Amino acid sequence: MGVYDPANADVASRLKNPPSTDSMHTLLGDEERTWELLTKAEVEARLGYPVTELPRGKDWGDLDVAKVKQWVCIPATIQYTIWSDVYRCEGFVTIEEPTGKVSTRGKNAGKPIVREKRVARGCGHEIVLWDAAVNKSDGETAGFFTCTNPACQHNWKKINLKRCGFVPVVSNYSYVGIQQTKRGIEPANRRTERKVSTKEISRVKEISSKPCPYWLPDHLMDKQGPQYRRNALRARNIQDTRDFYTTRNLWALALLWHHAAQCEPLRVSSQARFCVTAISLPMTRMYRYRHDGKGGILTGSLYIPSLTQEMNVGTAFWAKVPDAVAVAARRARFDAAVLLRRGSATMLNLSDSSVDYVFTDPPFGSNIYYSEASHIWESWLEAFTGRKDEAVVHRKNDGGTKRLPDYAALMQAAFHKMFRILKPGRWATIEFNNSDGAVFEAIKEAVRKAGFEIANMLLLDKQQKTFKQVKGAEGVEDVVDKDVLFNLHKPAVVRTKVRDEDHDLEQQIASAVRQHLQTLPGRIKADPANIQRRAPHHRYD
Ligand SMILES: [Zn+2]
């Protein structure tokens, strides 16, 4: 059909099995033939559904797809797969049951009395949320939906059902096709999507059924962690880091991690592993699918949505590599000496008064549970933040025991250390944000107790990249979406001990002049050039 007609030389020269073998010239030279001619039956066997369910291309016109006998199969790369939660049609509903009695009082007099009763309903069928509740034109998920078993069709409220798994539903893929241009037939990069195929599903199952040949991050989650509890990860059966990934993405990351660790020299290995940890979060099931393409990861959280977008690990990794190469090149060019240390800011191993400037972006109190939210990439690195000394304020009902005074004490210890290592007369900047005035006050107090003077506070509007002076202390109440920069000054040390004999400056000068004049004749005798010392322009020597 159209440019893809197998009889076209451009198509035939790409086919492994061209329709005619007689004197077909090769337009592509020795390039490997990767396309394949399939029958409609073969295509439907691979898809697992009729070709009429494929999304129609905009250049298909009024073509009757069901009548197309020959199909060109072009190799494509899955860019992402949408996965959907699956619910079991099984739960309880409240019904009203007649008691057989009739009311005799009030406005209900004469009406039969009913009682509410909880009864079990459902056929046990597995309901794929994507099929049952998602509006394909706007991506909205309905709060109520009907069981997809035609014999059942029970109407459920989503929150009354239990999840029983997650399955792939849509494949979004890219391929190099062809297009007709003024210059003739040319390759064309295409991106499209369709319902996931039987072939893809069986591949996913095949991967899931085998043991992974590489090391996997199997570090257990903290089941008492605020994020774990808030996002009901127990109900999703999340036991350790591996459970945040689809099996295929977990394997792909594990393979990259394995090879990155083996790179030589160590510098390259570190950069390669940096690229893997950089993508370790977006490759999880925390990547939210959104119809408008604005899905993604909610940082500082451990939330797994009902509809997720399983990203292509290879594509993501290779997109990070140029950044790593650019950093390496810049480092080589400037021969920059960078010292990176991991540890507590309360125990900085640097000499007193040795640092020119400090910039710090400290934990913001109760906004983010950093150590818990970092569990996934810390598992890959097998290096974990110590929870005991984490500067954080637990919110009520979050299960933790840290309160504002614990946070303030840790922050003050860190600011105190910062003050000591800074040179006198130098500056430090703290970037901070918290909507709670009490947390802001705690930071200000900790800063002052450490010895700093707060020179000013600026609003950092990250969207517009502008600074604005904060109006007084109460101005911090409305800075939720903007960070505040505290500019701090370490006062220059005032010398308090002076030798007594230094006091009379006039006497010292007179004594120096006297000594000069007394010794001058002798020095002129020794070296006549010293006569110059008597010239008028030497009078201030
Ligand atoms: Zn049902």
Side-chain angles (χ1 to χ4, degrees):
M1 176 211 58
V3 290
Y4 288 106
D5 189 333
N8 281 350
D10 290 285
V11 176
S13 67
R14 289 169 167 84
L15 287 167
K16 286 188 259 190
N17 53 344
S20 151
T21 49
D22 48 289
S23 71
M24 183 69 76
H25 64 284
T26 303
L27 294 172
L28 300 172
D30 292 333
E31 197 173 299
E32 190 195 351
R33 293 165 178 237
T34 55
W35 295 12
E36 196 180 356
L37 204 57
L38 299 178
T39 65
K40 185 181 140 189
E42 285 168 327
V43 172
E44 292 187 336
R46 289 187 188 192
L47 288 174
Y49 51 87
V51 290
T52 47
E53 284 185 32
L54 286 170
R56 293 185 70 91
K58 57 180 186 291
D59 49 357
W60 288 16
D62 55 0
L63 176 84
D64 184 355
V65 184
K67 288 183 180 156
V68 178
K69 290 197 176 70
Q70 285 186 312
W71 289 71
V72 178
C73 174
I74 303 172
T77 303
I78 298 174
Q79 292 303 336
Y80 64 79
T81 302
I82 304 171
W83 290 67
S84 165
D85 272 355
V86 180
Y87 291 83
R88 188 170 310 284
C89 179
E90 190 178 85
F92 287 88
V93 291
T94 305
I95 59 157
E96 290 186 338
E97 192 182 59
T99 57
K101 294 173 187 165
V102 174
S103 178
T104 53
R105 286 178 297 161
K107 60 179 180 37
N108 289 326
K111 290 180 185 168
I113 298 177
V114 294
R115 65 166 166 241
E116 290 195 335
K117 196 180 169 188
R118 297 279 287 164
V119 289
R121 284 285 183 272
C123 66
H125 182 76
E126 290 186 351
I127 308 170
V128 177
L129 188 74
W130 178 262
D131 298 332
V134 179
N135 181 331
K136 306 302 179 297
S137 57
D138 64 8
E140 290 295 316
T141 304
F144 289 87
F145 53 82
T146 307
C147 175
T148 43
N149 173 7
C152 170
Q153 297 191 18
H154 186 86
N155 202 28
W156 287 106
K157 204 174 186 176
K158 185 181 161 192
I159 54 166
N160 288 336
L161 289 178
K162 276 208 177 100
R163 269 187 298 261
C164 61
F166 52 103
V167 293
V169 289
V170 170
S171 291
N172 181 294
Y173 55 96
S174 61
Y175 63 95
V176 182
I178 49 175
Q179 63 185 344
Q180 182 75 53
T181 69
K182 285 175 199 158
R183 294 177 295 274
I185 297 282
E186 290 188 338
N189 292 315
R190 296 278 185 248
R191 181 86 176 248
T192 187
E193 64 184 43
R194 55 154 169 71
K195 190 173 149 186
V196 73
S197 73
T198 298
K199 201 180 173 205
E200 286 160 354
I201 292 169
S202 59
R203 181 79 174 129
V204 164
K205 281 185 182 153
E206 183 196 337
I207 295 167
S208 304
S209 67
K210 290 180 185 169
C212 180
Y214 306 104
W215 174 86
L216 295 173
D218 57 356
H219 307 90
L220 288 171
M221 300 303 297
D222 171 10
K223 300 216 166 106
Q224 298 308 315
Q227 280 291 327
Y228 190 90
R229 289 154 50 112
R230 192 182 307 162
N231 297 311
L233 295 181
R234 189 190 293 272
R236 285 191 173 275
N237 197 26
I238 302 291
Q239 304 292 330
D240 61 52
T241 306
R242 297 173 298 179
D243 299 324
F244 279 90
Y245 295 94
T246 59
T247 310
R248 114 175 121 182
N249 268 15
L250 181 64
W251 279 39
L253 277 176
L255 174 124
L256 283 174
W257 191 247
H258 173 81
H259 288 291
Q262 291 183 337
C263 285
E264 296 270 0
L266 181 66
R267 191 166 42 84
V268 175
S269 171
S270 303
Q271 289 280 12
R273 289 198 294 167
F274 183 80
C275 291
V276 180
T277 52
I279 63 167
S280 64
L281 279 187
M283 296 306 111
T284 62
R285 291 168 54 207
M286 296 197 291
Y287 198 107
R288 178 199 291 267
Y289 166 76
R290 285 241 321 242
H291 183 71
D292 58 7
K294 290 180 182 167
I297 286 280
L298 200 62
T299 53
S301 143
L302 290 176
Y303 175 65
I304 300 178
S306 286
L307 300 174
T308 63
Q309 194 166 314
E310 181 196 29
M311 306 300 285
N312 182 314
V313 172
T315 303
F317 178 79
W318 289 110
K320 286 287 169 199
V321 168
D323 290 350
V325 170
V327 168
R330 181 180 285 246
R331 226 191 124 169
R333 188 146 48 102
F334 294 109
D335 192 22
V338 177
L339 179 65
L340 199 65
R341 276 189 190 162
R342 180 168 55 91
S344 173
T346 61
M347 291 182 280
L348 289 171
N349 189 18
L350 293 167
S351 318
D352 288 359
S353 304
S354 66
V355 171
D356 291 301
Y357 176 68
V358 176
F359 182 92
T360 180
D361 190 351
F364 291 172
S366 59
N367 287 359
I368 301 169
Y369 298 116
Y370 296 92
S371 64
E372 192 191 8
S374 304
H375 181 87
I376 291 172
W377 52 270
E378 288 186 349
S379 306
W380 287 99
L381 294 164
E382 292 192 276
F384 295 88
T385 304
R387 296 271 169 96
K388 193 168 73 70
D389 294 323
E390 184 179 15
V392 72
V393 183
H394 286 118
R395 269 174 281 197
K396 277 181 191 163
N397 312 321
D398 270 350
T401 55
K402 297 226 177 180
R403 298 292 175 252
L404 185 57
D406 304 301
Y407 169 79
L410 276 167
M411 295 300 271
Q412 206 203 308
F415 293 151
H416 183 71
K417 192 74 196 174
M418 208 165 102
F419 185 85
R420 283 185 56 173
I421 61 163
L422 201 60
K423 290 177 183 170
R426 298 303 173 96
W427 296 79
T429 304
I430 301 177
E431 183 170 358
F432 193 72
N433 192 348
N434 194 301
S435 55
D436 184 345
V439 179
F440 246 102
E441 284 309 312
I443 285 284
K444 284 204 289 187
E445 199 187 314
V447 157
R448 288 202 191 98
K449 275 189 181 164
F452 283 112
E453 292 167 352
I454 301 178
N456 60 35
M457 286 160 68
L458 300 168
L459 268 191
L460 173 60
D461 186 339
K462 284 175 177 167
Q463 281 201 320
Q464 294 169 19
K465 292 186 170 59
T466 57
F467 295 97
K468 204 170 111 186
Q469 203 82 24
V470 178
K471 290 192 209 92
E474 64 282 356
V476 296
E477 305 295 349
D478 55 334
V479 292
V480 191
D481 54 347
K482 294 184 184 72
D483 285 359
V484 172
L485 298 180
F486 289 73
N487 280 316
L488 311 176
H489 187 234
K490 176 174 179 175
V493 174
V494 177
R495 197 149 66 131
T496 52
K497 275 192 183 171
V498 182
R499 284 181 299 154
D500 287 345
E501 55 267 39
D502 286 347
H503 271 253
D504 198 342
L505 186 63
E506 206 173 319
Q507 221 171 55
Q508 281 186 60
I509 294 168
S511 140
V513 171
R514 203 174 294 121
Q515 193 190 356
H516 173 75
L517 294 174
Q518 279 170 357
T519 57
L520 191 59
R523 280 183 287 137
I524 291 171
K525 210 175 265 175
D527 179 5
N530 272 328
I531 194 75
Q532 291 294 326
R533 292 286 172 98
R534 303 197 68 183
H537 62 269
H538 273 286
R539 82 185 76 154
Y540 299 116
D541 280 7

